[in-house]
Amino acid sequence: KAGVTQTPRYLIKTRGQQVTLSCSPISGHRSVSWYQQTPGQGLQFLFEYFSETQRNKGNFPGRFSGRQFSNSRSEMNVSTLELGDSALYLCASSLATGGPGTQYFGPGTRLLVL
Amino acid sequence: AQRVTQPEKLLSVFKGAPVELKCNYSYSGSPELFWYVQYSRQRLQLLLRHISRESIKGFTADLNKGETSFHLKKPFAQEEDSAMYYCALQPGTSYGKLTFGQGTILTVHP
């Protein structure tokens, strides 16, 4: 099976702009989680979607949002970008049936905000 | 709220030496615990999870609920084990949300 894919792999934006990142899960996986990775804060959970519904949300401002489509693909959006949003954004997918499942990670999208 | 602590940011050992990467957690319920590894220029990947009780690449980890620890061990380190290691916790009732430790960079010298 193909692994989790994320597009684009790299992005450069300026403050105040918005950005949309995309994640395609492993075939058959219905849960998609998003994480932000920075040198200072490490890996932090953003949100998780299952069957097009957000089930879990981390402690990030409302500028960070996401959605999931019927084919389980997911997008996350960051509006009004700030310099501190520069990070590696990872998505992970899991089967999520019968209990917490193993999450499989994508390669990430590296976002630089200037 | 849950928390994962990896007290060592850096760990260096020589090839063939035993290695132990420490992980302590705080969580009031029954957690699922994982070790993830990130080799240079590769994506984050699962090394092992406690519920599987497997040994992967010679690594093992035992969940000690009394000490709330999930240390990762390998009796004889190899140079290819050099990587960043993350301990992660998933609450038993909360799908899709992993809480990660800060990670430990393991360097195995020849």
Side-chain angles (χ1 to χ4, degrees):
Chain A
K1 279 185 181 178
V4 177
T5 58
Q6 292 186 244
T7 56
R9 294 293 311 277
Y10 303 92
L11 263 179
I12 299 176
K13 292 285 185 179
T14 55
R15 278 182 300 173
Q17 287 187 310
Q18 76 163 13
V19 68
T20 299
L21 312 181
S22 182
C23 172
S24 293
I26 292 171
S27 177
H29 286 193
R30 296 169 63 191
S31 168
V32 174
S33 299
W34 288 90
Y35 296 85
Q36 182 195 63
Q37 186 176 25
T38 59
Q41 299 298 317
L43 281 151
Q44 293 186 287
F45 172 78
L46 281 155
F47 29 65
E48 185 255 359
Y49 286 87
F50 178 81
S51 291
E52 303 177 66
T53 301
Q54 186 182 89
R55 289 197 301 188
N56 251 317
K57 190 177 188 310
N59 296 323
F60 279 81
R63 301 185 296 106
F64 292 83
S65 63
R67 59 177 175 168
Q68 187 180 35
F69 302 95
S70 58
N71 61 358
S72 294
R73 191 177 69 85
S74 177
E75 288 181 347
M76 69 162 279
N77 184 276
V78 188
S79 62
T80 319
L81 284 165
E82 300 177 359
L83 295 179
D85 297 333
S86 294
L88 181 67
Y89 290 88
L90 297 173
C91 87
S93 73
S94 71
L95 280 170
T97 56
T102 298
Q103 293 186 33
Y104 297 87
F105 284 81
T109 294
R110 187 165 295 282
L111 172 65
L112 177 61
V113 182
L114 302 175
Chain B
Q2 57 270 16
R3 186 181 179 93
V4 177
T5 303
Q6 293 178 249
E8 303 134 333
K9 195 168 183 177
L10 301 167
L11 186 61
S12 288
V13 299
F14 285 100
K15 178 182 172 181
V19 63
E20 182 179 48
L21 291 87
K22 291 183 168 50
C23 172
N24 291 93
Y25 68 91
S26 64
Y27 178 63
S28 55
S30 293
E32 293 279 340
L33 283 152
F34 303 81
W35 277 98
Y36 279 85
V37 61
Q38 190 166 31
Y39 301 102
S40 179
R41 297 193 190 89
Q42 294 187 28
R43 66 181 67 189
L44 200 59
Q45 57 186 279
L46 177 72
L47 182 61
L48 54 81
R49 59 185 292 187
H50 90 271
I51 199 169
S52 301
R53 293 187 165 273
E54 293 176 297
S55 172
I56 306 294
K57 298 185 179 183
F59 285 97
T60 58
D62 289 317
L63 177 60
N64 186 322
K65 291 186 177 181
E67 296 182 359
T68 59
S69 68
F70 188 55
H71 302 328
L72 184 68
K73 300 176 185 179
K74 185 170 183 177
F76 307 103
Q78 303 299 315
E79 289 178 67
E80 55 266 31
D81 296 330
S82 296
M84 171 74 98
Y85 291 80
Y86 292 97
C87 181
L89 177 154
Q90 184 162 295
T93 57
S94 182
Y95 300 109
K97 178 180 179 179
L98 284 170
T99 297
F100 285 89
Q102 289 295 316
T104 297
I105 299 172
L106 172 66
T107 303
V108 181
H109 300 283

